[in-house]
Amino acid sequence: MIAIIKKIPVNLLTERIVVFLCLFIIAFYTPQTPNDVGILREEILDKMQYDSQQLEPLLKYYSKISPADAQILRIKSLLIKGNYEEALNSLSALKKIATNDKKSEIFFQYQYLYAELCQALGLTSELKNISNDVQNFKFSKQIIFADLAIDKTSFEVFAPSERIAILKSAIENYKKAGNNKALIQSSIWLSELLNKNSAESMSARNYARGLANINKSGIYYEILVFNSLAKIELEKSNPKAAFDFLKNFQSSASGISNIGLKADYYKNLAKASAGINEFNMLGSANDKYFNIIQNIESKKSVAKAMLVNHINKMNEEKLAAQQKMFRYIYLAIIVIFIIAIILIYWSVKYKSRLAKKVPASTEVKNFVIPDKTEKRILNKLEEFEKNQKYIRKTVSLKTLAQQFDTNPKYLSEVVNKHKNSNFNTYINNLRIDYIVDKIKENPEYRKYKVSYLADECGFSSHSLFTTIFKNRMNLSPTEFLQKING
C-alpha cells in the first residue's frame, strides 16, 4: 500500500485527500439541515410522552448536534415521568452551561425548568424567587418556551393571562408549521385554562378532538383529548358519557409516561365507573390511581430532601463568603432589632394602659348590616347550600363574598350570627355532613378510601379531613365506615 502511494504524484495525492474530505463533510453534515433538526426535535418531543426505549438514542444523537438543547429536552422528559431526582442531577449539569451567560435563552430555560421542579416538589419560597426571574425575563417567552409546553404543569410558573398568551401564540406557530401533535395538546391546555363553558374553550376542545380523529396521532394524544372531554361530562353529572370516553384506554394508558395525565385519567375513570356501578373497572382504576400517587409522593420526598440539602449548602457557602463583609451590618441590624423590640414593648404597654381606661360599654361593632342586605345574603347562603357548591376546593370567604356581590365582613358576620360558627367551621361542617349523607345513602361510598372521600367533599388534605370529621362525628372516618358497614 505504501509503495502504491509513493508512486502517486504529490499533487494527485493531495487532490484525492481533499476530495475525500469534502465527500466526508458532505455525507456527515447534509442530513443535519434546519428542517431535519426540527423534525428530530418533534420526534423527541413526541417520544417523551411514552414509556419507550426509543427516546434515549434520539437524545444521544441530538446531543451531538445541540448539547445544551438535548440536555433541556432530557430534563423535561424526566419531569414528565416524575423522575425528580434524576431531573435535579441533570439540572445541576445544565446550570454549569447556562450560568455562563445569564441573558441567554439557555439560562431562561434552565430557570424555567428549575422553577417547574420547585413547583412539583412544593418548595414555595424557592419557587417565588425563581418565578420572578422567569416572568421578568426579556426574551419573548411565547417563542422560546412554546415547544417545551408539552404538559399542563409547564404553565404553573406563569400568571394565568400569560399562560393563555403563550398557548395562543404557540397554536399559531404550530398551525404554520403543520405540527398536528403539538396542536392537539396545546389546544387541550388552552381549553382547560379558559372558562370550560365558554365558546372559545369548547372550540379549542373540538378542534383538538378533530385533529386526533383525523391524524391518528397516537394513544397519548387520544387519552389527552378524551380525558378532557370526560372531565366535562363528569362536571355535568353524566358518568355514562365520561365512561364511554375513557373505557377503551384502561390498558394502553399504562404505556404513557406523562405521570400527571396518567393519574388524572385513572382518577376520572374511577369516578365514571362509580357513577354507573361498574365495580370491576372502579377497583382497577382506583388501585392504579393510588399506586401512581404513592409512587409520585415517594419520589418527591427523596428529591425534595436532596434539593433542600443542596439549597442549604449553597446558602451556607454564601453566608461564609459574606461573613466578614457584613459583620458590621449584622451588628447594626441586631442593635436596631433590640431598639425595635424595646419600642414595641413600650408601645404595647402604653396601649394596654389606655385599653384598661376605656370602659367596656364603649365597645361597639364597627359596622351594622342593613336588614335587606342580611336577608339577601341568607337567601344566597341557602341557595349555596342547596346546590352543594361548598364541596369545591376553591371556596373561600373572599371568593364567596364576590359571588354574593357583597363584602367579606358582611358575609362573615351573617355566618357567625345565623350559622353559629365562623366561616371555615361552617364550610367544613357542610362538607362533613355531605359526605356522611353520601356514605349513608349510597353503599358504594363505603368502599372508597378515606383519601378519596376527603377529595370528594372538597378537602385538599387527608389529615385535615380526618381531624374535622372526628370533631364533627366523634368518630374517625375509618371508625364511622366500620360502624356503618356493621
Side-chain angles (χ1 to χ4, degrees), residues 449-479:
K449 295 182 179 180
V450 173
S451 56
Y452 184 86
L453 296 175
D455 184 73
E456 173 70 13
C457 64
F459 285 92
S460 58
S461 167
H462 179 181
S463 59
L464 179 62
F465 170 71
T466 301
T467 301
I468 294 175
F469 190 101
K470 192 167 185 178
N471 290 338
R472 181 72 170 164
M473 305 302 298
N474 293 321
L475 291 170
S476 70
T478 303
E479 292 170 343

PDB file of all heavy atoms in Angstrom, residues 449-479:
ATOM      1  N   LYS A 449     -61.673   4.688  49.706  1.00  0.00           N
ATOM      2  CA  LYS A 449     -60.630   5.010  50.671  1.00  0.00           C
ATOM      3  C   LYS A 449     -60.897   6.396  51.260  1.00  0.00           C
ATOM      4  O   LYS A 449     -61.545   7.239  50.651  1.00  0.00           O
ATOM      5  CB  LYS A 449     -59.251   4.983  50.012  1.00  0.00           C
ATOM      6  CG  LYS A 449     -58.855   3.592  49.540  1.00  0.00           C
ATOM      7  CD  LYS A 449     -57.447   3.599  48.943  1.00  0.00           C
ATOM      8  CE  LYS A 449     -57.036   2.198  48.501  1.00  0.00           C
ATOM      9  NZ  LYS A 449     -55.682   2.166  47.914  1.00  0.00           N
ATOM     10  N   VAL A 450     -60.356   6.609  52.463  1.00  0.00           N
ATOM     11  CA  VAL A 450     -60.588   7.877  53.169  1.00  0.00           C
ATOM     12  C   VAL A 450     -60.070   9.055  52.347  1.00  0.00           C
ATOM     13  O   VAL A 450     -60.694  10.115  52.288  1.00  0.00           O
ATOM     14  CB  VAL A 450     -59.913   7.844  54.557  1.00  0.00           C
ATOM     15  CG1 VAL A 450     -60.007   9.209  55.234  1.00  0.00           C
ATOM     16  CG2 VAL A 450     -60.568   6.781  55.424  1.00  0.00           C
ATOM     17  N   SER A 451     -58.919   8.877  51.692  1.00  0.00           N
ATOM     18  CA  SER A 451     -58.353   9.967  50.894  1.00  0.00           C
ATOM     19  C   SER A 451     -59.280  10.358  49.748  1.00  0.00           C
ATOM     20  O   SER A 451     -59.381  11.526  49.395  1.00  0.00           O
ATOM     21  CB  SER A 451     -56.977   9.565  50.353  1.00  0.00           C
ATOM     22  OG  SER A 451     -57.079   8.371  49.609  1.00  0.00           O
ATOM     23  N   TYR A 452     -59.985   9.367  49.168  1.00  0.00           N
ATOM     24  CA  TYR A 452     -60.914   9.660  48.082  1.00  0.00           C
ATOM     25  C   TYR A 452     -62.138  10.409  48.621  1.00  0.00           C
ATOM     26  O   TYR A 452     -62.640  11.346  47.995  1.00  0.00           O
ATOM     27  CB  TYR A 452     -61.330   8.366  47.395  1.00  0.00           C
ATOM     28  CG  TYR A 452     -62.221   8.581  46.203  1.00  0.00           C
ATOM     29  CD1 TYR A 452     -61.684   8.830  44.944  1.00  0.00           C
ATOM     30  CD2 TYR A 452     -63.620   8.580  46.334  1.00  0.00           C
ATOM     31  CE1 TYR A 452     -62.506   9.057  43.857  1.00  0.00           C
ATOM     32  CE2 TYR A 452     -64.444   8.792  45.257  1.00  0.00           C
ATOM     33  CZ  TYR A 452     -63.889   9.030  44.022  1.00  0.00           C
ATOM     34  OH  TYR A 452     -64.687   9.249  42.949  1.00  0.00           O
ATOM     35  N   LEU A 453     -62.628   9.982  49.796  1.00  0.00           N
ATOM     36  CA  LEU A 453     -63.759  10.666  50.414  1.00  0.00           C
ATOM     37  C   LEU A 453     -63.411  12.120  50.722  1.00  0.00           C
ATOM     38  O   LEU A 453     -64.222  13.029  50.533  1.00  0.00           O
ATOM     39  CB  LEU A 453     -64.172   9.938  51.701  1.00  0.00           C
ATOM     40  CG  LEU A 453     -64.697   8.500  51.532  1.00  0.00           C
ATOM     41  CD1 LEU A 453     -64.940   7.875  52.892  1.00  0.00           C
ATOM     42  CD2 LEU A 453     -65.962   8.463  50.693  1.00  0.00           C
ATOM     43  N   ALA A 454     -62.183  12.328  51.220  1.00  0.00           N
ATOM     44  CA  ALA A 454     -61.733  13.694  51.517  1.00  0.00           C
ATOM     45  C   ALA A 454     -61.750  14.549  50.268  1.00  0.00           C
ATOM     46  O   ALA A 454     -62.221  15.688  50.273  1.00  0.00           O
ATOM     47  CB  ALA A 454     -60.331  13.662  52.130  1.00  0.00           C
ATOM     48  N   ASP A 455     -61.225  14.013  49.172  1.00  0.00           N
ATOM     49  CA  ASP A 455     -61.172  14.754  47.909  1.00  0.00           C
ATOM     50  C   ASP A 455     -62.580  14.997  47.372  1.00  0.00           C
ATOM     51  O   ASP A 455     -62.875  16.063  46.841  1.00  0.00           O
ATOM     52  CB  ASP A 455     -60.344  13.949  46.897  1.00  0.00           C
ATOM     53  CG  ASP A 455     -60.154  14.704  45.599  1.00  0.00           C
ATOM     54  OD1 ASP A 455     -59.382  15.669  45.592  1.00  0.00           O
ATOM     55  OD2 ASP A 455     -60.798  14.330  44.603  1.00  0.00           O
ATOM     56  N   GLU A 456     -63.455  14.021  47.540  1.00  0.00           N
ATOM     57  CA  GLU A 456     -64.815  14.111  47.005  1.00  0.00           C
ATOM     58  C   GLU A 456     -65.595  15.269  47.632  1.00  0.00           C
ATOM     59  O   GLU A 456     -66.371  15.946  46.964  1.00  0.00           O
ATOM     60  CB  GLU A 456     -65.536  12.782  47.264  1.00  0.00           C
ATOM     61  CG  GLU A 456     -67.017  12.755  46.910  1.00  0.00           C
ATOM     62  CD  GLU A 456     -67.245  12.791  45.410  1.00  0.00           C
ATOM     63  OE1 GLU A 456     -66.262  12.581  44.676  1.00  0.00           O
ATOM     64  OE2 GLU A 456     -68.392  13.037  44.989  1.00  0.00           O
ATOM     65  N   CYS A 457     -65.404  15.500  48.932  1.00  0.00           N
ATOM     66  CA  CYS A 457     -66.195  16.540  49.600  1.00  0.00           C
ATOM     67  C   CYS A 457     -65.451  17.866  49.698  1.00  0.00           C
ATOM     68  O   CYS A 457     -65.895  18.786  50.381  1.00  0.00           O
ATOM     69  CB  CYS A 457     -66.663  16.079  50.972  1.00  0.00           C
ATOM     70  SG  CYS A 457     -65.350  15.763  52.160  1.00  0.00           S
ATOM     71  N   GLY A 458     -64.280  17.988  49.046  1.00  0.00           N
ATOM     72  CA  GLY A 458     -63.654  19.296  48.915  1.00  0.00           C
ATOM     73  C   GLY A 458     -62.437  19.554  49.772  1.00  0.00           C
ATOM     74  O   GLY A 458     -61.875  20.644  49.728  1.00  0.00           O
ATOM     75  N   PHE A 459     -61.997  18.556  50.541  1.00  0.00           N
ATOM     76  CA  PHE A 459     -60.805  18.760  51.368  1.00  0.00           C
ATOM     77  C   PHE A 459     -59.550  18.483  50.550  1.00  0.00           C
ATOM     78  O   PHE A 459     -59.468  17.472  49.856  1.00  0.00           O
ATOM     79  CB  PHE A 459     -60.819  17.832  52.589  1.00  0.00           C
ATOM     80  CG  PHE A 459     -61.776  18.259  53.671  1.00  0.00           C
ATOM     81  CD1 PHE A 459     -63.081  17.780  53.712  1.00  0.00           C
ATOM     82  CD2 PHE A 459     -61.383  19.162  54.637  1.00  0.00           C
ATOM     83  CE1 PHE A 459     -63.964  18.173  54.695  1.00  0.00           C
ATOM     84  CE2 PHE A 459     -62.265  19.574  55.627  1.00  0.00           C
ATOM     85  CZ  PHE A 459     -63.558  19.081  55.670  1.00  0.00           C
ATOM     86  N   SER A 460     -58.588  19.352  50.641  1.00  0.00           N
ATOM     87  CA  SER A 460     -57.328  19.163  49.928  1.00  0.00           C
ATOM     88  C   SER A 460     -56.336  18.360  50.749  1.00  0.00           C
ATOM     89  O   SER A 460     -55.329  17.906  50.231  1.00  0.00           O
ATOM     90  CB  SER A 460     -56.718  20.523  49.565  1.00  0.00           C
ATOM     91  OG  SER A 460     -56.514  21.282  50.741  1.00  0.00           O
ATOM     92  N   SER A 461     -56.629  18.166  52.031  1.00  0.00           N
ATOM     93  CA  SER A 461     -55.717  17.463  52.925  1.00  0.00           C
ATOM     94  C   SER A 461     -56.423  16.293  53.593  1.00  0.00           C
ATOM     95  O   SER A 461     -57.492  16.442  54.197  1.00  0.00           O
ATOM     96  CB  SER A 461     -55.181  18.421  53.988  1.00  0.00           C
ATOM     97  OG  SER A 461     -54.549  17.708  55.033  1.00  0.00           O
ATOM     98  N   HIS A 462     -55.840  15.114  53.468  1.00  0.00           N
ATOM     99  CA  HIS A 462     -56.365  13.901  54.087  1.00  0.00           C
ATOM    100  C   HIS A 462     -56.419  14.061  55.613  1.00  0.00           C
ATOM    101  O   HIS A 462     -57.419  13.736  56.265  1.00  0.00           O
ATOM    102  CB  HIS A 462     -55.448  12.726  53.687  1.00  0.00           C
ATOM    103  CG  HIS A 462     -55.856  11.403  54.276  1.00  0.00           C
ATOM    104  ND1 HIS A 462     -55.169  10.256  54.050  1.00  0.00           N
ATOM    105  CD2 HIS A 462     -56.865  11.067  55.105  1.00  0.00           C
ATOM    106  CE1 HIS A 462     -55.736   9.273  54.703  1.00  0.00           C
ATOM    107  NE2 HIS A 462     -56.781   9.722  55.349  1.00  0.00           N
ATOM    108  N   SER A 463     -55.334  14.589  56.189  1.00  0.00           N
ATOM    109  CA  SER A 463     -55.250  14.709  57.643  1.00  0.00           C
ATOM    110  C   SER A 463     -56.263  15.724  58.180  1.00  0.00           C
ATOM    111  O   SER A 463     -56.868  15.510  59.230  1.00  0.00           O
ATOM    112  CB  SER A 463     -53.831  15.100  58.051  1.00  0.00           C
ATOM    113  OG  SER A 463     -53.472  16.329  57.451  1.00  0.00           O
ATOM    114  N   LEU A 464     -56.453  16.848  57.465  1.00  0.00           N
ATOM    115  CA  LEU A 464     -57.438  17.844  57.887  1.00  0.00           C
ATOM    116  C   LEU A 464     -58.842  17.260  57.862  1.00  0.00           C
ATOM    117  O   LEU A 464     -59.636  17.479  58.788  1.00  0.00           O
ATOM    118  CB  LEU A 464     -57.359  19.069  56.974  1.00  0.00           C
ATOM    119  CG  LEU A 464     -58.348  20.203  57.269  1.00  0.00           C
ATOM    120  CD1 LEU A 464     -58.108  20.762  58.665  1.00  0.00           C
ATOM    121  CD2 LEU A 464     -58.231  21.299  56.223  1.00  0.00           C
ATOM    122  N   PHE A 465     -59.154  16.505  56.829  1.00  0.00           N
ATOM    123  CA  PHE A 465     -60.457  15.845  56.720  1.00  0.00           C
ATOM    124  C   PHE A 465     -60.698  14.932  57.918  1.00  0.00           C
ATOM    125  O   PHE A 465     -61.760  14.950  58.538  1.00  0.00           O
ATOM    126  CB  PHE A 465     -60.513  15.049  55.411  1.00  0.00           C
ATOM    127  CG  PHE A 465     -61.705  14.127  55.301  1.00  0.00           C
ATOM    128  CD1 PHE A 465     -62.984  14.635  55.131  1.00  0.00           C
ATOM    129  CD2 PHE A 465     -61.544  12.754  55.391  1.00  0.00           C
ATOM    130  CE1 PHE A 465     -64.081  13.788  55.028  1.00  0.00           C
ATOM    131  CE2 PHE A 465     -62.622  11.904  55.281  1.00  0.00           C
ATOM    132  CZ  PHE A 465     -63.901  12.431  55.118  1.00  0.00           C
ATOM    133  N   THR A 466     -59.680  14.125  58.257  1.00  0.00           N
ATOM    134  CA  THR A 466     -59.811  13.182  59.372  1.00  0.00           C
ATOM    135  C   THR A 466     -60.057  13.928  60.683  1.00  0.00           C
ATOM    136  O   THR A 466     -60.925  13.540  61.485  1.00  0.00           O
ATOM    137  CB  THR A 466     -58.536  12.328  59.486  1.00  0.00           C
ATOM    138  OG1 THR A 466     -58.337  11.618  58.246  1.00  0.00           O
ATOM    139  CG2 THR A 466     -58.646  11.331  60.618  1.00  0.00           C
ATOM    140  N   THR A 467     -59.315  15.005  60.918  1.00  0.00           N
ATOM    141  CA  THR A 467     -59.451  15.770  62.160  1.00  0.00           C
ATOM    142  C   THR A 467     -60.844  16.387  62.280  1.00  0.00           C
ATOM    143  O   THR A 467     -61.500  16.267  63.330  1.00  0.00           O
ATOM    144  CB  THR A 467     -58.392  16.886  62.203  1.00  0.00           C
ATOM    145  OG1 THR A 467     -57.087  16.288  62.132  1.00  0.00           O
ATOM    146  CG2 THR A 467     -58.502  17.682  63.486  1.00  0.00           C
ATOM    147  N   ILE A 468     -61.309  17.027  61.225  1.00  0.00           N
ATOM    148  CA  ILE A 468     -62.609  17.706  61.268  1.00  0.00           C
ATOM    149  C   ILE A 468     -63.751  16.698  61.335  1.00  0.00           C
ATOM    150  O   ILE A 468     -64.750  16.902  62.031  1.00  0.00           O
ATOM    151  CB  ILE A 468     -62.754  18.634  60.051  1.00  0.00           C
ATOM    152  CG1 ILE A 468     -61.725  19.774  60.162  1.00  0.00           C
ATOM    153  CG2 ILE A 468     -64.152  19.203  59.945  1.00  0.00           C
ATOM    154  CD1 ILE A 468     -61.677  20.678  58.973  1.00  0.00           C
ATOM    155  N   PHE A 469     -63.599  15.578  60.640  1.00  0.00           N
ATOM    156  CA  PHE A 469     -64.612  14.517  60.667  1.00  0.00           C
ATOM    157  C   PHE A 469     -64.792  14.013  62.101  1.00  0.00           C
ATOM    158  O   PHE A 469     -65.916  13.843  62.597  1.00  0.00           O
ATOM    159  CB  PHE A 469     -64.184  13.372  59.738  1.00  0.00           C
ATOM    160  CG  PHE A 469     -65.268  12.351  59.502  1.00  0.00           C
ATOM    161  CD1 PHE A 469     -65.997  12.383  58.320  1.00  0.00           C
ATOM    162  CD2 PHE A 469     -65.570  11.382  60.443  1.00  0.00           C
ATOM    163  CE1 PHE A 469     -66.996  11.442  58.094  1.00  0.00           C
ATOM    164  CE2 PHE A 469     -66.557  10.461  60.208  1.00  0.00           C
ATOM    165  CZ  PHE A 469     -67.286  10.476  59.040  1.00  0.00           C
ATOM    166  N   LYS A 470     -63.666  13.778  62.776  1.00  0.00           N
ATOM    167  CA  LYS A 470     -63.732  13.260  64.145  1.00  0.00           C
ATOM    168  C   LYS A 470     -64.363  14.281  65.086  1.00  0.00           C
ATOM    169  O   LYS A 470     -65.150  13.917  65.987  1.00  0.00           O
ATOM    170  CB  LYS A 470     -62.326  12.880  64.622  1.00  0.00           C
ATOM    171  CG  LYS A 470     -62.327  12.079  65.916  1.00  0.00           C
ATOM    172  CD  LYS A 470     -60.969  11.464  66.188  1.00  0.00           C
ATOM    173  CE  LYS A 470     -61.022  10.558  67.421  1.00  0.00           C
ATOM    174  NZ  LYS A 470     -59.707   9.910  67.670  1.00  0.00           N
ATOM    175  N   ASN A 471     -64.028  15.552  64.913  1.00  0.00           N
ATOM    176  CA  ASN A 471     -64.637  16.597  65.740  1.00  0.00           C
ATOM    177  C   ASN A 471     -66.142  16.690  65.513  1.00  0.00           C
ATOM    178  O   ASN A 471     -66.910  16.959  66.439  1.00  0.00           O
ATOM    179  CB  ASN A 471     -63.995  17.952  65.434  1.00  0.00           C
ATOM    180  CG  ASN A 471     -62.566  18.031  65.932  1.00  0.00           C
ATOM    181  OD1 ASN A 471     -62.162  17.284  66.830  1.00  0.00           O
ATOM    182  ND2 ASN A 471     -61.781  18.925  65.365  1.00  0.00           N
ATOM    183  N   ARG A 472     -66.550  16.468  64.283  1.00  0.00           N
ATOM    184  CA  ARG A 472     -67.964  16.598  63.922  1.00  0.00           C
ATOM    185  C   ARG A 472     -68.776  15.362  64.324  1.00  0.00           C
ATOM    186  O   ARG A 472     -69.897  15.477  64.812  1.00  0.00           O
ATOM    187  CB  ARG A 472     -68.069  16.813  62.411  1.00  0.00           C
ATOM    188  CG  ARG A 472     -69.492  17.003  61.865  1.00  0.00           C
ATOM    189  CD  ARG A 472     -70.036  18.320  62.253  1.00  0.00           C
ATOM    190  NE  ARG A 472     -71.288  18.622  61.540  1.00  0.00           N
ATOM    191  CZ  ARG A 472     -72.121  19.572  61.912  1.00  0.00           C
ATOM    192  NH1 ARG A 472     -71.863  20.318  62.972  1.00  0.00           N
ATOM    193  NH2 ARG A 472     -73.225  19.800  61.218  1.00  0.00           N
ATOM    194  N   MET A 473     -68.210  14.172  64.125  1.00  0.00           N
ATOM    195  CA  MET A 473     -68.961  12.924  64.287  1.00  0.00           C
ATOM    196  C   MET A 473     -68.563  12.134  65.532  1.00  0.00           C
ATOM    197  O   MET A 473     -69.125  11.070  65.806  1.00  0.00           O
ATOM    198  CB  MET A 473     -68.756  12.044  63.045  1.00  0.00           C
ATOM    199  CG  MET A 473     -69.110  12.713  61.722  1.00  0.00           C
ATOM    200  SD  MET A 473     -70.817  13.297  61.660  1.00  0.00           S
ATOM    201  CE  MET A 473     -71.719  11.760  61.828  1.00  0.00           C
ATOM    202  N   ASN A 474     -67.528  12.624  66.240  1.00  0.00           N
ATOM    203  CA  ASN A 474     -66.995  11.904  67.409  1.00  0.00           C
ATOM    204  C   ASN A 474     -66.451  10.529  67.042  1.00  0.00           C
ATOM    205  O   ASN A 474     -66.302   9.648  67.902  1.00  0.00           O
ATOM    206  CB  ASN A 474     -68.065  11.763  68.492  1.00  0.00           C
ATOM    207  CG  ASN A 474     -68.442  13.104  69.083  1.00  0.00           C
ATOM    208  OD1 ASN A 474     -67.584  13.966  69.288  1.00  0.00           O
ATOM    209  ND2 ASN A 474     -69.734  13.312  69.343  1.00  0.00           N
ATOM    210  N   LEU A 475     -66.211  10.323  65.778  1.00  0.00           N
ATOM    211  CA  LEU A 475     -65.595   9.094  65.267  1.00  0.00           C
ATOM    212  C   LEU A 475     -64.656   9.466  64.129  1.00  0.00           C
ATOM    213  O   LEU A 475     -64.935  10.413  63.389  1.00  0.00           O
ATOM    214  CB  LEU A 475     -66.661   8.118  64.736  1.00  0.00           C
ATOM    215  CG  LEU A 475     -67.600   7.443  65.739  1.00  0.00           C
ATOM    216  CD1 LEU A 475     -68.710   6.727  64.993  1.00  0.00           C
ATOM    217  CD2 LEU A 475     -66.847   6.466  66.644  1.00  0.00           C
ATOM    218  N   SER A 476     -63.576   8.715  63.959  1.00  0.00           N
ATOM    219  CA  SER A 476     -62.729   8.928  62.790  1.00  0.00           C
ATOM    220  C   SER A 476     -63.446   8.391  61.558  1.00  0.00           C
ATOM    221  O   SER A 476     -64.387   7.576  61.689  1.00  0.00           O
ATOM    222  CB  SER A 476     -61.390   8.206  62.966  1.00  0.00           C
ATOM    223  OG  SER A 476     -61.583   6.816  62.897  1.00  0.00           O
ATOM    224  N   PRO A 477     -63.066   8.797  60.332  1.00  0.00           N
ATOM    225  CA  PRO A 477     -63.715   8.272  59.128  1.00  0.00           C
ATOM    226  C   PRO A 477     -63.678   6.747  59.063  1.00  0.00           C
ATOM    227  O   PRO A 477     -64.669   6.110  58.696  1.00  0.00           O
ATOM    228  CB  PRO A 477     -62.899   8.909  57.987  1.00  0.00           C
ATOM    229  CG  PRO A 477     -62.346  10.153  58.580  1.00  0.00           C
ATOM    230  CD  PRO A 477     -62.076   9.834  60.001  1.00  0.00           C
ATOM    231  N   THR A 478     -62.544   6.156  59.433  1.00  0.00           N
ATOM    232  CA  THR A 478     -62.420   4.689  59.391  1.00  0.00           C
ATOM    233  C   THR A 478     -63.392   4.051  60.369  1.00  0.00           C
ATOM    234  O   THR A 478     -64.081   3.058  60.048  1.00  0.00           O
ATOM    235  CB  THR A 478     -60.978   4.285  59.727  1.00  0.00           C
ATOM    236  OG1 THR A 478     -60.086   4.931  58.819  1.00  0.00           O
ATOM    237  CG2 THR A 478     -60.802   2.781  59.606  1.00  0.00           C
ATOM    238  N   GLU A 479     -63.460   4.602  61.590  1.00  0.00           N
ATOM    239  CA  GLU A 479     -64.372   4.044  62.594  1.00  0.00           C
ATOM    240  C   GLU A 479     -65.825   4.204  62.155  1.00  0.00           C
ATOM    241  O   GLU A 479     -66.657   3.314  62.365  1.00  0.00           O
ATOM    242  CB  GLU A 479     -64.146   4.754  63.926  1.00  0.00           C
ATOM    243  CG  GLU A 479     -62.788   4.446  64.560  1.00  0.00           C
ATOM    244  CD  GLU A 479     -62.494   5.350  65.744  1.00  0.00           C
ATOM    245  OE1 GLU A 479     -63.169   6.396  65.877  1.00  0.00           O
ATOM    246  OE2 GLU A 479     -61.568   5.025  66.527  1.00  0.00           O
TER     247      GLU A 479
END
